Amino acid sequence: MQSRWNDEDANRYVEAARGAGQSDALGLRIYSSRIIGGDPDLVLHGGGNTSVKVVAEDGSKLMHIKGSGWDLDTIEAPGLPAVHLAPLLEVRNGPKLSDPDMVALLRRSLISADAPNPSVEALLHAFLPFTFVDHTHATAILALADQPDMRGTVKRIYGSRVAYVPYVMPGFDLSIAGDLIYRDSPGCEGLWLENHGLFTFANDARASYELMIEFVTMAEEELGRAGVTLTGPQSNDGQEDQSLKLRLQRALSQQTSPFEKAVFLDYRSTSAIRDYAANDQLEEIAQRGTVTPDHVIRIKPWPMIIEADADDAAINKALAGYASRYTSYFERNAARQSEPKQMLDVYPRVIIVRHKGMYAVGSTEKAAKIGGDICEQATRAINAAEAYGRFTPIGEADLFDMEYWSLEQAKLKVSAP
């Protein structure tokens, strides 16, 4: 992975920030966020988050943190709302906060009342004692983070430079766990989040960004040592079957479907996708889960699989089987919740056409494209993970907690077109 940092570009963002009455640090934060967001092998569509800590004119400490609904590749100053840092640090050693209490704290701490909700990982950004903090879901990191028992491997790759954080639900719990592990790992420059992604941090924008590039490159090199080639983003080069597409559209848009009014299908066929769709263990691998937890709110816990010659009857049978499986999944996991959950729709968001390609399904063209982009990255990560060892994402219970987490559902509503 190559650094995209350019001093001239960075200086232009600093000058633009000064012209808008903003700090140099915020200008650099916008710039480095955009070059992170511009690389689909670092983050995709609302994924990842960034922050910068600054000192206000009155001497108080503030933190600009990515707001919900914003993408890093197009982020602007309003997408990095400022919060007072002191009240966030006060909860560091206090009692556990519920999700509503954490959101309320973050909103109370905002400088502007009409700003978007700060990232659900804002507290971890606040606790880390560095000016710049970056968090990504890099493809190479996911290929390794979704392996079982990786603590020793991470230690071998990074030594004491990166601290290992076992999987914890994002939000308050992850913030507390990540902070404790950071404080117990003197001198570390990053946090490896099992099944999730990577944090890097420094007091300089370029240093934090280039740590991210360095650590992702080291993950790529680890894959390479195992004989695994992680391909970069790939473009479609496979032929779409228009008659199959029409049959899918007809089946998906039936009454009571969430796509009754409109259904959009984004078809992807690349060499990596075809390798995945031709895997002899496709059914078993596809049911394991998503490559990073927050993908579940976009593409559901698993895809639906059909044959390339599926007729109307076969497609409807596959949809019925998917609905039955999803209903059972919901009932199993809702039964253990402390508060009632309302089941989401039982339709797939990804349909794999065996040996050929895959469709992402959405009620808008934008939603389908987002799903397609996620699947393109995820397929490459899964292929690499399987070639390295065994693709082992979070389990069903954790996946359900993410899919039905009120904070993740709110993120979807904010970013809806």
Side-chain angles (χ1 to χ4, degrees), residues 260-328:
E260 180 181 358
K261 294 182 179 179
V263 59
F264 292 84
L265 297 177
D266 184 286
Y267 183 70
R268 306 289 174 108
S269 181
T270 67
S271 61
I273 288 173
R274 290 189 294 274
D275 286 346
Y276 174 71
N279 193 305
D280 290 341
Q281 304 299 316
L282 176 63
E283 286 88 349
E284 194 273 327
I285 294 170
Q287 303 302 324
R288 293 182 199 164
T290 59
V291 295
T292 192
D294 65 340
H295 280 184
V296 72
I297 69 168
R298 299 282 192 184
I299 60 172
K300 293 277 194 180
W302 56 80
M304 184 176 90
I305 302 171
I306 60 172
E307 302 297 330
D309 61 354
D311 58 15
D312 290 338
I315 291 170
N316 285 324
K317 181 179 179 181
L319 285 170
Y322 189 95
S324 176
R325 178 182 175 89
Y326 188 87
T327 301
S328 297

